[in-house]
């Protein structure tokens, strides 16, 4: 038995060594490093700067003084507490949905909703660039799965027309702001397709919350189509400055099904009450700051225009996510390293997260970032490019 076990360990180690060596040879090894202080942070998703907001800190302190640090059990044992119920109410009222559920993470929410509610007989059409968590949920469900070209609603319409069988459950899965390109689909047209073909529309608003909507509820609310969305996914870990996620439903039976059938919900210790308190405070702060959102979006457009004028490739839009397409992996790592040395934290994104040949900087704008910091970034990018040109 011991020899067999040792052999198994050796086989596993050899396989993993091979996989990691191959990844390293392509320059795509990932390393876990503690984040260091920087002068200008354009790397994380704290779009509104709420992760360090005093009102969120105060809310956490009050919760700490009056309750436990941990939920200490799954939600169906004792982990679901009064503060979680209050948070659900706040979310439903904010988005005007009749039903909702809080989750430990956006990944868990997406995987659980699709993996539990969709079934092998269903048909799911998903945008080619939806997040990995959505793909994981779709694959878990066993439903028939087709990707349509990114933001190509003509292609989606053709698929819907060809698959309009009576009695079949059809899903369409999209995001409102895509995490690597920072662009958006035509939500008004998606809503029109929903009304025409009567599919279940699941919309992930993770990167739109706080940046769009009269009260910061996201792009569906801003476009006036939130009532056409059947399932809305949001997160607390981006613009809301905390951790965790939520799903909202037009049909309350979906909530009941997840409570009874979703392993991600049933078998995990629930979200910390402290994080629930932070999320409630964040919703208030987002609603207060929403009137300023037009200024943030104008700055996003201005940066994109400046990048294009300087000869860089980006994607049109006004979201907080601004990609700069570099191409080769080694170049984006070189540029990212240069910027880091100058005090700029940026995301350096490589395949397979993005398509081959499209390695990029991912700039995450912040509501409070002064334009002078972005001008400095552009100057450092230009300085790096001159160095590269001299070498070549």
């Amino acid at each position: 038995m011991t020899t067999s076990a040792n052999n198994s360990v050796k086989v596993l180690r050899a396989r993993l060594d091979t996989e990691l060596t191959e990844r390293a040879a392509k320059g795509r090894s990932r390393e876990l490093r503690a984040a260091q202080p920087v002068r200008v942070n354009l790397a994380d998703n704290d779009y509104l700067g709420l992760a360090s907001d005093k009102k969120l800190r105060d809310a956490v302190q009050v919760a700490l003084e009056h309750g436990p640090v941990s939920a200490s059990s799954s939600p169906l044992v004792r982990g679901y507490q009064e503060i979680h119920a209050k948070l659900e109410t706040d979310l439903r009222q904010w988005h005007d949905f009749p039903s909702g559920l809080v989750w430990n993470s956006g990944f868990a929410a997406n995987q659980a909703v699709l993996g539990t509610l969709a079934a092998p007989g269903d048909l799911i059409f998903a945008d080619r660039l939806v997040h990995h968590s959505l793909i994981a949920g779709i694959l878990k469900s066993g439903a028939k799965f087709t990707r349509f070209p990114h933001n190509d609603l003509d292609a989606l319409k053709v698929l819907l027309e060809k698959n309009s069988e009576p009695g079949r459950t059809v899903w369409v899965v999209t995001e409102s702001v895509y995490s690597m390109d920072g662009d958006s689909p035509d939500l008004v047209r998606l809503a029109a397709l929903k009304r025409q073909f009567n599919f279940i529309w699941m919309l992930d608003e993770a990167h739109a919350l706080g940046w769009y909507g009269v009260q910061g509820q996201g792009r569906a609310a801003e476009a006036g189509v939130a009532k056409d969305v059947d399932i809305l996914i949001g997160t607390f870990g981006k613009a809301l400055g905390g951790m965790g996620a939520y799903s909202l439903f037009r049909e309350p039976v979906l909530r009941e099904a997840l409570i009874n059938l979703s392993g991600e919900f049933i078998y995990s210790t629930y979200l910390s009450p402290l994080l629930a308190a932070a999320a409630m405070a964040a919703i208030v702060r987002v609603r207060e700051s929403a009137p300023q959102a037009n200024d943030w979006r104008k700055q996003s457009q201005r940066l994109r225009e400046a990048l294009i004028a300087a000869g860089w490739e980006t994607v049109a839009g006004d979201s907080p996510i601004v990609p700069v397409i570099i191409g080769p992996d080694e170049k984006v790592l070189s540029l990212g390293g240069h910027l880091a040395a100058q005090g700029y934290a940026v995301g350096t994104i490589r395949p397979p997260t993005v398509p081959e040949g499209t390695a990029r900087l991912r700039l995450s704008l912040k509501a409070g970032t002064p334009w002078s910091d972005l001008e400095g970034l552009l100057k450092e990018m230009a300085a790096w490019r001159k160095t590269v040109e001299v070498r070549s």
Side-chain angles (χ1 to χ4, degrees), residues 220-236:
E222 179 159 294
V225 299
K227 290 191 180 299
D228 294 288
V229 177
D230 296 289
I231 302 172
L232 184 147
I233 302 294
T235 61
F236 305 130

Side-chain angles (χ1 to χ4, degrees), residues 43-126:
D44 64 32
N45 299 320
D46 184 22
Y47 303 131
L48 306 188
L50 293 185
S52 301
D53 185 81
K54 184 179 185 302
K55 290 187 178 180
L56 269 68
R57 290 175 181 267
D58 290 346
V60 170
Q61 183 62 42
V62 170
L64 183 60
E65 291 172 357
H66 293 87
V69 171
S70 172
S72 300
S73 72
S74 74
L76 293 173
V77 177
R78 189 175 167 80
Y80 184 78
Q81 300 179 12
E82 189 64 30
I83 197 165
H84 297 111
K86 289 179 180 178
L87 174 56
E88 278 185 18
T89 299
D90 287 357
L91 291 165
R92 293 197 308 269
Q93 292 175 348
W94 186 31
H95 288 278
D96 193 20
F97 268 72
S99 182
L101 202 58
V102 170
W103 301 85
N104 287 352
S105 72
F107 199 108
N110 280 336
Q111 179 173 273
V113 168
L114 283 165
T116 305
L117 300 180
D122 295 356
L123 180 58
I124 301 177
F125 299 124

Side-chain angles (χ1 to χ4, degrees), residues 31 54-55 73 119 157-158 189 191 249 267 271 289 300 314 321 365 369 379 385-386 388:
E31 295 182 22
K54 184 179 185 302
K55 290 187 178 180
S73 72
K157 184 178 181 181
V158 170
R189 189 176 176 200
F249 313 105
Y267 299 113
L271 189 73
S289 62
S300 175
T314 187
I321 301 165
L365 300 187
T369 302
K379 289 178 182 177
R385 185 161 54 187
K386 286 181 181 179
V388 171

Side-chain angles (χ1 to χ4, degrees), residues 22-268:
E22 290 174 355
R23 179 179 287 271
K26 294 178 181 178
R28 292 177 182 170
S29 292
R30 294 184 173 104
E31 295 182 22
L32 191 60
R33 299 175 180 174
Q36 300 299 310
V38 293
R39 187 163 57 86
V40 180
N41 178 10
L42 299 172
D44 64 32
N45 299 320
D46 184 22
Y47 303 131
L48 306 188
L50 293 185
S52 301
D53 185 81
K54 184 179 185 302
K55 290 187 178 180
L56 269 68
R57 290 175 181 267
D58 290 346
V60 170
Q61 183 62 42
V62 170
L64 183 60
E65 291 172 357
H66 293 87
V69 171
S70 172
S72 300
S73 72
S74 74
L76 293 173
V77 177
R78 189 175 167 80
Y80 184 78
Q81 300 179 12
E82 189 64 30
I83 197 165
H84 297 111
K86 289 179 180 178
L87 174 56
E88 278 185 18
T89 299
D90 287 357
L91 291 165
R92 293 197 308 269
Q93 292 175 348
W94 186 31
H95 288 278
D96 193 20
F97 268 72
S99 182
L101 202 58
V102 170
W103 301 85
N104 287 352
S105 72
F107 199 108
N110 280 336
Q111 179 173 273
V113 168
L114 283 165
T116 305
L117 300 180
D122 295 356
L123 180 58
I124 301 177
F125 299 124
D127 187 290
R128 181 163 293 279
L129 296 188
V130 294
H131 193 267
H132 180 67
S133 58
L134 293 163
I135 300 299
I138 291 169
L139 294 176
K140 180 186 174 187
S141 75
K144 185 178 178 182
F145 169 37
T146 300
R147 291 182 175 184
F148 59 90
H150 181 50
N151 283 341
D152 188 342
L153 301 189
D154 289 333
L156 174 60
K157 184 178 181 181
V158 170
L159 289 170
L160 291 167
E161 289 171 340
K162 290 181 177 178
N163 294 274
S164 56
E165 305 169 23
R168 189 173 199 179
T169 303
V170 178
W171 300 65
V172 172
V173 179
T174 66
E175 300 180 31
S176 61
V177 173
Y178 285 88
S179 62
M180 291 298 123
D181 282 21
D183 60 349
S184 302
D186 183 342
L187 296 183
V188 172
R189 189 176 176 200
L190 268 167
L193 289 173
K194 160 65 192 287
R195 292 190 288 270
Q196 181 180 355
F197 292 100
N198 200 30
F199 52 77
I200 297 170
W201 184 12
M202 180 169 170
L203 180 68
D204 188 328
E205 290 260 36
H207 292 279
L209 296 175
W211 203 261
Y212 298 95
V214 175
Q215 297 181 36
Q217 317 99 307
R219 291 200 69 245
E222 179 159 294
V225 299
K227 290 191 180 299
D228 294 288
V229 177
D230 296 289
I231 302 172
L232 184 147
I233 302 294
T235 61
F236 305 130
K238 297 178 175 60
L240 274 69
M243 184 177 176
Y246 58 94
S247 51
L248 298 171
F249 313 105
R250 290 291 167 202
E251 296 289 339
V253 69
L254 303 184
R255 180 182 188 271
E256 297 309 309
L258 288 163
I259 289 172
N260 283 275
L261 303 174
S262 168
E264 292 89 345
F265 184 83
I266 297 168
Y267 299 113
S268 293

